[in-house]
Amino acid sequence: MAGMSSSQLRAGKQPLVLLAAAFALALSCLVILSYRRPSSTALLSGPSTTLGDLLVTDLFRTKKPFTNLEDKAGEDEEPDAVVGATSPRAAHVINARGDQLVNRDCVLAAKIMDGAATGYPEWAQKQVMARCMDQDCEQSMRTVEGKWSGCRFTDANGFCYHYYTAQQYCFHHPDDSDYCNDKGPDAAKPPLGEYTGESSEIGWEPVSDVTLTLPTRPDLDGSKYACSCMRNCGCNGQGHCWCMDPEQQPIGTDEGSYTDTNITEHHAARGRCSCSCGGVAARLHSEVSTLRGSPKV
């Protein structure tokens, strides 16, 4: 190094400095990429929690209940639903393709039942149905006196029509047997129904007598199952629910569901439902990750 000026020494060190900076940047990128973002998990605790801090995954998430409105029959966008509409299309009972407009997971449940969506094993069919019932159960409790809300009218499968205009259409066209199936006046508050009590006690119940579609399993194909739901609750599918009412009882006819359930009182469950169909819960099933890779709608 003798005979080199200070400026020459600095110039010689610059490549090393740049190399070190590049290495540090690459290392930072690796750390960021290797970091796994946690799932939607909440830690619930408080004086009402007798089991200490309870880890609850995906129980009280905000659900987007409806995705079947997209119109692929030539129009650029779906027209606004018309209050007092005199046709199923204008009232959003159906879309331009003739698809009945029900809640998100009920769209898939219907496709499975019709054989349009295949490859779902027994547990997955039941879990999709349980998620469908989650959404319908919650819609049934969103019935407000003076509004066309709730779930009095359903499609032939017993799935709630999502739009209040569809509920209104069926109220005014009860003889439209192609689309309108009536769960009765106790399934909604006026003007849609006649029920005047608490929404959490509304006369809606989950589906029963559901048929499994398993052509590759003749021993199971065509067999029946039913569903049950816990209102104002979030349940983990592993014997524990967090409910507004610590004495909450299930509705429906899925025998054995929620019979040995531990309940922790928790205010975050207001307006929520957790359902089980054929013994399979809507949430935290051990094979839920497999369902995400199942055939798409």
Side-chain angles (χ1 to χ4, degrees):
M1 297 290 181
M4 294 181 66
S5 66
S6 58
S7 59
Q8 288 175 320
L9 287 173
R10 285 195 300 271
K13 291 180 180 179
Q14 285 181 351
L16 294 176
V17 173
L18 292 174
L19 182 61
F23 178 79
L25 179 61
L27 184 61
S28 299
C29 291
L30 286 173
V31 170
I32 292 171
L33 290 174
S34 64
Y35 171 73
R36 285 189 172 185
R37 185 177 180 180
S39 59
S40 53
T41 299
L43 193 63
L44 303 186
S45 61
S48 62
T49 304
T50 58
L51 300 180
D53 289 344
L54 303 168
L55 191 64
V56 183
T57 302
D58 205 29
L59 295 183
F60 304 120
R61 66 184 175 89
T62 300
K63 292 193 279 287
K64 295 180 179 179
F66 187 72
T67 57
N68 199 31
L69 186 57
E70 67 272 11
D71 191 346
K72 299 179 181 177
E75 297 181 7
D76 292 333
E77 60 183 28
E78 189 74 11
D80 291 336
V82 178
V83 176
T86 58
S87 73
R89 176 79 173 96
H92 278 182
V93 175
I94 59 174
N95 64 12
R97 296 194 307 266
D99 300 326
Q100 296 179 23
L101 300 177
V102 294
N103 288 316
R104 174 190 295 268
D105 285 303
C106 298
V107 174
L108 178 54
K111 287 180 178 290
I112 292 173
M113 293 170 68
D114 294 342
T118 60
Y120 289 82
E122 178 187 4
W123 72 264
Q125 292 189 32
K126 292 178 176 179
Q127 188 182 59
V128 169
M129 185 63 70
R131 288 179 177 268
C132 166
M133 289 298 100
D134 270 12
Q135 294 163 358
D136 278 8
C137 177
E138 292 179 7
Q139 178 176 331
S140 75
M141 291 195 295
R142 292 195 295 270
T143 181
V144 181
E145 189 166 356
K147 295 185 178 181
W148 300 92
S149 55
C151 176
R152 175 173 177 175
F153 295 98
T154 71
D155 69 358
N157 293 317
F159 302 155
C160 301
Y161 284 119
H162 176 79
Y163 284 98
Y164 74 92
T165 49
Q167 296 287 332
Q168 183 191 41
Y169 170 84
C170 286
F171 179 84
H172 288 301
H173 300 83
D175 296 331
D176 188 346
S177 57
D178 290 336
Y179 296 110
C180 300
N181 297 271
D182 191 357
K183 281 187 170 287
D186 286 339
K189 293 184 177 182
L192 185 63
E194 299 175 3
Y195 180 77
T196 57
E198 294 292 328
S199 296
S200 59
E201 301 293 330
I202 202 79
W204 175 93
E205 288 200 354
V207 295
S208 59
D209 201 37
V210 185
T211 303
L212 278 172
T213 306
L214 291 167
T216 61
R217 291 287 307 276
D219 56 323
L220 293 175
D221 189 36
S223 60
K224 304 289 187 177
Y225 66 92
C227 300
S228 290
C229 295
M230 293 283 279
R231 287 168 164 159
N232 286 328
C233 291
C235 303
N236 65 5
Q238 298 172 349
H240 202 108
C241 293
W242 289 261
C243 303
M244 290 288 294
D245 181 359
E247 303 297 326
Q248 183 66 43
Q249 297 297 312
I251 56 171
T253 57
D254 183 14
E255 295 183 5
S257 291
Y258 308 113
T259 53
D260 297 318
T261 298
N262 295 314
I263 297 179
T264 297
E265 184 177 356
H266 203 282
H267 64 85
R270 181 184 296 277
R272 297 297 192 181
C273 289
S274 279
C275 300
S276 175
C277 294
V280 178
R283 308 197 186 287
L284 297 189
H285 192 282
S286 61
E287 294 177 285
V288 66
S289 59
T290 306
L291 180 63
R292 292 170 183 159
S294 298
K296 297 184 182 299
V297 179

